[in-house]
Amino acid sequence: MADQNSDRETGSKLDPKYDSNGLITAVVTDDSSRDVLMVAHMNAEALKLTLDTGIVHFFSRSRQQLWKKGETSGNILEMTGVRIDCDQDALWITARPAGPACHTGATSCFYRKIQDGALEQAE
Amino acid sequence: MADQNSDRETGSKLDPKYDSNGLITAVVTDDSSRDVLMVAHMNAEALKLTLDTGIVHFFSRSRQQLWKKGETSGNILEMTGVRIDCDQDALWITARPAGPACHTGATSCFYRKIQDGALEQAE
């Protein structure tokens, strides 16, 4: 186990640690503003499609199906780079968004800040 | 349900949507470099401590206990801001790190990029 963990942390082999639902967390930041746009999940198929096409795909936990981000709205995310963390259970994707990343129409899903225990519009 | 979801998305009430294990995903970025430093999880206690003290706390899934980041290493994360996403199931924390955020000694846990199906050191 120790060696397996060590390989995962230091090696050059892509070996994502999917959770019990077969998913890995993916953070997407804007390549230009560097804001965090959204946090979602990928299964192996979504990750493969993202890497193969350069267009970000997720797995929708609510709909339980592959989700090409922006397929309906047109607001796709064009991947510019992807990193994986030390224990390979999270991805950091940099992307060029074609439009608002959030389904609410906001540029980022993180449009509210926590201030004094309540939520306020973020700048 | 529709109203509950709508309130959660548009309201000013902090109402984190914890998963079945009582956890919410937290992304930490460097307030200065704006790099993603790490992705971890918080339970309600860790979030409260983070908000109350301004020092980032997580819940360690491997150790199943509260985890004050940097308690042993000294590499604490001083929170400079925190946002929550549309459906309130993810947090984006900006922080000033006292040292390397990763237990490997790397500045960020995301020290490798995926390139042609393998991992390479990120710049």
Side-chain angles (χ1 to χ4, degrees), chain A residues 9 12 33-35 111 119, chain B residues 9 12 33-35 111 119:
Chain A
E9 289 190 354
S12 59
S33 73
R34 308 209 74 204
D35 280 345
Y111 48 83
L119 304 184
Chain B
E9 289 190 354
S12 59
S33 74
R34 309 209 75 205
D35 280 345
Y111 48 83
L119 304 184

Side-chain angles (χ1 to χ4, degrees), chain A residues 8-9 11-12 33-35 61 82-86 88-90 103 109-114 119 122, chain B residues 8-9 11-12 33-35 61 82-86 88-89 103 109-114 119 122:
Chain A
R8 202 168 231 152
E9 289 190 354
S12 59
S33 73
R34 308 209 74 204
D35 280 345
R61 293 184 300 175
V82 54
R83 296 189 187 194
I84 197 159
D85 73 345
C86 45
Q88 300 205 36
D89 69 354
H103 74 286
C109 292
F110 294 87
Y111 48 83
R112 290 170 298 180
K113 61 181 175 184
I114 303 177
L119 304 184
Chain B
R8 201 167 231 151
E9 289 190 354
S12 59
S33 74
R34 309 209 75 205
D35 280 345
R61 293 185 300 177
V82 54
R83 297 189 186 194
I84 198 160
D85 73 346
C86 45
Q88 299 205 37
D89 69 354
H103 74 285
C109 293
F110 293 87
Y111 48 83
R112 291 170 298 181
K113 61 181 174 183
I114 303 177
L119 304 184

